Amino acid sequence: MSIRIGIYGYGNLGRGVECAIRHNKDMQLVGVFTRRQPETVKILTEEAKVYHVSEAEKMQNEIDVMIICGGSATDLPKQTPALAKMFNVVDSFDTHARIPEHFEAVNESALSAGKTAMISVGWDPGMFSLNRLYAEAVLPDGQAYTFWGKGVSQGHSDAIRRVEGVADGKQYTVPVPEALDAVRSGKNPELTTREKHTRECYVVAEEGADKAKIEAEIKNMPNYFADYDTTVNFITAQELKEKHSGIPHGGFVIRSGKTGFDLEHDNIIEYSLKLDSNPEFTASVICAYARAVFRLNKEGSVGCKTVFDVPPAYLSAKTGEQLRKELL
Amino acid sequence: MSIRIGIYGYGNLGRGVECAIRHNKDMQLVGVFTRRQPETVKILTEEAKVYHVSEAEKMQNEIDVMIICGGSATDLPKQTPALAKMFNVVDSFDTHARIPEHFEAVNESALSAGKTAMISVGWDPGMFSLNRLYAEAVLPDGQAYTFWGKGVSQGHSDAIRRVEGVADGKQYTVPVPEALDAVRSGKNPELTTREKHTRECYVVAEEGADKAKIEAEIKNMPNYFADYDTTVNFITAQELKEKHSGIPHGGFVIRSGKTGFDLEHDNIIEYSLKLDSNPEFTASVICAYARAVFRLNKEGSVGCKTVFDVPPAYLSAKTGEQLRKELL
């Protein structure tokens, strides 16, 4: 019997989830729920249907896990607590500072309805968080570092596009190689924001725009660019399309920690991701956790969970016996 | 209240556990259990005592978790099932092929006594196994690779020392850089044993020994060296002591997997360890899981577990709230 999945919101992440379901044999996409007119939304899966979000309520018996693919700024804080009253849910809420309040709201809904909800699933938060936790638990005397990139930051790309005279643009976050090397050496360096990452911008200027002015405005933009060494490259719309239309990302979680009676030995734990498609990978993590949510709920384990609460075996379609034999 | 730990067996691993306990504020070493005469064994922890293994039985109320530091070949298959009838236990059983039978034996003991037992805790099996599982669950369409080293292999060093004319020796397992690069490129290469690792031997010959004969004998040794490109370096006892007395190790778990509707995107997940001290790091992993075992048993979760069965949060001394705030 497959796990019946609903996708709530059909942007890049929703499409990624659709792809991941296709490659997980024990899962089946039942429907995509959209705020648009359903007949205007084309999906890739023949067997599934498109519904208006208002129809979700009627589908409670058709769907085992609803994967919520809205944005963290305004969608998820409302959607996840509301849907957790009707469905087992997974979201990818990624506003780190607001996770505690989101957790409380979702936990209350899920507990009251006997549902299982997982928030903040993806790679950061998600796989990176797991690696921060495991590494800290194993090497309590140490220091942790997270680097992002090389990859496209959607937020920073949007910020570039809002600058006057900019027709289009893309921003890459790039970890500084010297900083990575210093961390890997076990020196436990104190690194400033500027020392950890650089920002590379590829900008298509509108005709007749003042490029020097655009460049200065980007480089001095507070929060987004002012604290970084930023480079601005002006290119044509054609080149942007050809060379910068992907959504790659990745990064590194490194912990440098000491062991020994007098902490005389250095040890480095490093986890890294190199992703051709950020949303597809995030979606793949979400699908593995949708399997876990389905199982946890069957066992009566309800309420809000994070990746910290789920035994790794619950993510795999294999039995405990298989896992011990093949992967341990 | 601290978690009261016993160490059963006091070799390199036992001493590593002793060091790790010292740096985990919520743990306390109660005693070391040895097969030797207790008065001949000097330990590093002033507050702890040395007992003969025959005294363990009487200490059931004094110890929350017994960490078993015997060898996998002959010690652990007997010790862990026996001790799991009296204590919550953790071992580092690492004979991969025999894990299923060891699991069954330990599970039966632990279940019958209402104890919680964890087997095969360390880095491989252990942290590497976890990473194989997480990566496979997230990227089901892909291929997994494990590389070991650069590090000292105890088994291979022992094999060298058994060769006639060898006074002492040390063997390093070294991953082949080109193989690592090929895997990271996403090409999913098929790699032979020889293509994945080389073996570097540092040998002290006895006076007057036939070095050419020693070298040939090492290089042609079945199972240990014959399937590898092996180099043999003859050095002095002095140099061996100065440059090769540590026990470093490490390695890489890499999964290359595809995402997208037609699997058109490549993604690489890489986990690596670089350890100054193999036994101390193994011991550090074991201590984090001793904390988990203590908690699981308090909750009534008994029987045999592996790293696949334990929610990551159980490894940390922090509360769920702290973890979500600081590490998610």
Side-chain angles (χ1 to χ4, degrees):
Chain A
M1 199 200 66
S2 16
I3 305 170
R4 302 167 302 168
I5 308 275
I7 295 175
Y8 197 92
Y10 194 65
N12 280 335
L13 183 60
R15 269 188 297 273
V17 171
E18 184 179 18
C19 295
I21 292 168
R22 179 176 151 96
H23 301 294
N24 277 295
K25 305 287 171 272
D26 60 342
M27 296 183 190
Q28 174 201 344
L29 178 62
V30 172
V32 167
F33 296 83
T34 179
R35 286 179 288 205
R36 290 172 270 172
Q37 290 300 322
E39 55 278 12
T40 66
V41 175
K42 279 243 168 301
I43 63 172
L44 305 165
T45 310
E46 278 180 28
E47 314 83 70
K49 285 176 71 177
V50 181
Y51 300 93
H52 190 258
V53 288
S54 60
E55 298 175 272
E57 201 172 347
K58 290 179 293 185
M59 300 284 289
Q60 292 180 55
N61 292 326
E62 265 62 62
I63 288 171
D64 296 315
V65 184
M66 184 71 93
I67 296 177
I68 313 175
C69 300
S72 294
T74 55
D75 295 337
L76 297 177
K78 287 180 189 163
Q79 290 172 348
T80 312
L83 289 164
K85 288 182 182 154
M86 298 186 273
F87 298 97
N88 300 313
V89 298
V90 185
D91 82 16
S92 61
F93 185 76
D94 67 358
T95 311
H96 290 261
R98 298 188 60 192
I99 285 174
E101 59 187 288
H102 189 55
F103 181 90
E104 292 307 329
V106 174
N107 193 39
E108 202 181 305
S109 290
L111 281 178
S112 73
K115 299 296 180 188
T116 308
M118 278 198 75
I119 60 162
S120 303
V121 179
W123 59 274
D124 196 0
M127 302 311 292
F128 273 19
S129 322
L130 277 177
N131 277 280
R132 287 187 284 258
L133 189 161
Y134 276 118
E136 180 181 286
V138 167
L139 294 176
D141 290 283
Q143 203 158 330
Y145 299 84
T146 301
F147 291 87
W148 297 273
K150 183 180 177 175
V152 172
S153 161
Q154 217 55 60
H156 289 79
S157 299
D158 290 344
I160 290 175
R161 289 188 212 106
R162 286 193 296 264
V163 171
E164 205 192 315
V166 171
D168 204 351
K170 209 91 179 234
Q171 194 268 182
Y172 295 90
T173 305
V174 185
V176 174
E178 292 77 14
L180 277 170
D181 288 345
V183 168
R184 288 179 183 136
S185 76
K187 284 179 199 148
N188 288 359
E190 293 286 337
L191 297 166
T192 62
T193 298
R194 189 177 299 274
E195 284 166 336
K196 285 184 74 184
H197 297 93
T198 53
R199 300 203 174 275
E200 282 177 16
C201 308
Y202 293 86
V203 177
V204 180
E206 285 169 359
E207 244 191 84
D210 180 344
K211 290 184 179 173
K213 188 163 165 271
I214 291 173
E215 182 169 344
E217 196 166 327
I218 291 174
K219 288 187 170 176
N220 296 313
M221 201 184 293
N223 302 319
Y224 286 92
F225 294 101
D227 297 333
Y228 298 86
D229 288 338
T230 301
T231 53
V232 177
N233 305 285
F234 288 96
I235 60 175
T236 63
Q238 173 80 0
E239 192 180 343
L240 189 79
K241 197 182 162 194
E242 280 171 18
K243 297 189 188 162
H244 304 283
S245 61
I247 321 178
H249 219 313
F252 305 80
V253 173
I254 308 177
R255 188 170 184 89
S256 154
K258 293 180 183 295
T259 58
F261 197 73
D262 294 314
L263 300 176
E264 62 273 25
H265 291 129
D266 287 325
N267 305 278
I268 305 283
I269 304 174
E270 176 166 343
Y271 178 82
S272 69
L273 296 173
K274 198 171 150 236
L275 313 172
D276 270 3
S277 170
N278 180 358
E280 284 173 10
F281 186 79
T282 302
S284 298
V285 177
I286 288 174
C287 280
Y289 277 100
R291 180 181 291 121
V293 162
F294 176 72
R295 291 178 179 173
L296 287 167
N297 190 260
K298 280 226 176 293
E299 292 180 5
S301 181
V302 299
C304 188
K305 318 273 178 192
T306 74
V307 294
F308 297 156
D309 305 310
V310 178
Y314 282 60
L315 274 66
S316 171
K318 294 181 175 171
T319 65
E321 214 167 355
Q322 277 179 297
L323 292 175
R324 286 190 294 273
K325 192 162 186 273
E326 298 172 19
L327 298 178
L328 194 63
Chain B
M1 197 198 69
S2 20
I3 305 171
R4 300 167 304 167
I5 309 275
I7 295 175
Y8 197 92
Y10 195 65
N12 280 335
L13 183 60
R15 270 188 297 274
V17 171
E18 184 180 17
C19 295
I21 292 168
R22 178 174 149 96
H23 300 294
N24 277 296
K25 305 288 171 271
D26 59 342
M27 296 182 189
Q28 174 201 345
L29 178 61
V30 171
V32 167
F33 296 83
T34 179
R35 286 179 289 205
R36 290 173 269 173
Q37 291 300 322
E39 55 278 15
T40 68
V41 175
K42 278 244 168 302
I43 63 171
L44 306 164
T45 310
E46 279 181 27
E47 314 83 69
K49 286 176 72 178
V50 181
Y51 300 93
H52 189 259
V53 288
S54 60
E55 299 175 272
E57 202 172 348
K58 291 179 294 188
M59 300 285 288
Q60 293 180 54
N61 292 325
E62 265 62 62
I63 288 172
D64 296 313
V65 183
M66 183 71 94
I67 296 177
I68 313 175
C69 300
S72 294
T74 55
D75 296 336
L76 297 177
K78 287 179 189 162
Q79 291 172 349
T80 311
L83 289 164
K85 287 180 183 154
M86 297 186 273
F87 299 96
N88 300 313
V89 298
V90 185
D91 82 15
S92 61
F93 186 76
D94 67 359
T95 311
H96 290 261
R98 299 187 59 192
I99 285 174
E101 58 188 291
H102 189 55
F103 181 91
E104 291 307 328
V106 174
N107 193 39
E108 201 181 306
S109 291
L111 281 178
S112 74
K115 299 296 181 188
T116 307
M118 278 198 76
I119 61 162
S120 303
V121 179
W123 60 274
D124 195 0
M127 301 312 292
F128 272 19
S129 323
L130 277 178
N131 277 280
R132 287 188 284 259
L133 189 161
Y134 276 118
E136 179 180 286
V138 166
L139 294 176
D141 290 282
Q143 203 158 330
Y145 299 84
T146 302
F147 292 86
W148 296 274
K150 182 181 178 173
V152 172
S153 162
Q154 216 56 58
H156 289 80
S157 299
D158 290 345
I160 290 176
R161 288 188 213 107
R162 287 193 297 263
V163 171
E164 206 192 313
V166 170
D168 204 351
K170 209 90 180 235
Q171 193 268 182
Y172 295 90
T173 306
V174 186
V176 175
E178 292 77 14
L180 277 170
D181 287 346
V183 169
R184 288 178 184 136
S185 76
K187 283 178 200 151
N188 288 1
E190 292 286 336
L191 297 167
T192 64
T193 298
R194 190 177 297 275
E195 286 167 334
K196 285 183 74 184
H197 297 93
T198 54
R199 300 203 174 275
E200 282 177 15
C201 308
Y202 293 86
V203 177
V204 180
E206 286 169 359
E207 245 191 84
D210 181 343
K211 290 184 178 173
K213 189 162 164 273
I214 291 173
E215 181 168 344
E217 196 166 325
I218 291 173
K219 287 186 170 176
N220 296 314
M221 199 183 295
N223 302 321
Y224 286 93
F225 295 102
D227 297 333
Y228 299 84
D229 288 338
T230 301
T231 54
V232 176
N233 305 284
F234 289 95
I235 60 174
T236 63
Q238 172 81 1
E239 192 180 344
L240 189 78
K241 197 181 162 197
E242 281 172 16
K243 296 188 186 162
H244 304 283
S245 60
I247 320 177
H249 220 312
F252 305 81
V253 173
I254 307 178
R255 187 169 183 89
S256 152
K258 292 179 182 298
T259 58
F261 197 72
D262 294 314
L263 300 175
E264 63 273 24
H265 291 129
D266 288 325
N267 306 276
I268 305 283
I269 304 175
E270 176 167 342
Y271 179 80
S272 70
L273 295 173
K274 198 171 151 238
L275 313 172
D276 269 3
S277 170
N278 180 358
E280 284 173 10
F281 186 80
T282 302
S284 299
V285 177
I286 288 175
C287 280
Y289 277 100
R291 180 181 291 124
V293 162
F294 176 71
R295 290 179 180 173
L296 288 166
N297 189 260
K298 280 226 174 296
E299 291 179 5
S301 181
V302 299
C304 189
K305 319 273 176 191
T306 74
V307 294
F308 296 157
D309 305 310
V310 178
Y314 282 60
L315 275 67
S316 172
K318 293 181 175 171
T319 64
E321 213 168 356
Q322 276 180 298
L323 292 175
R324 287 190 292 275
K325 191 162 187 271
E326 297 172 18
L327 297 178
L328 196 62

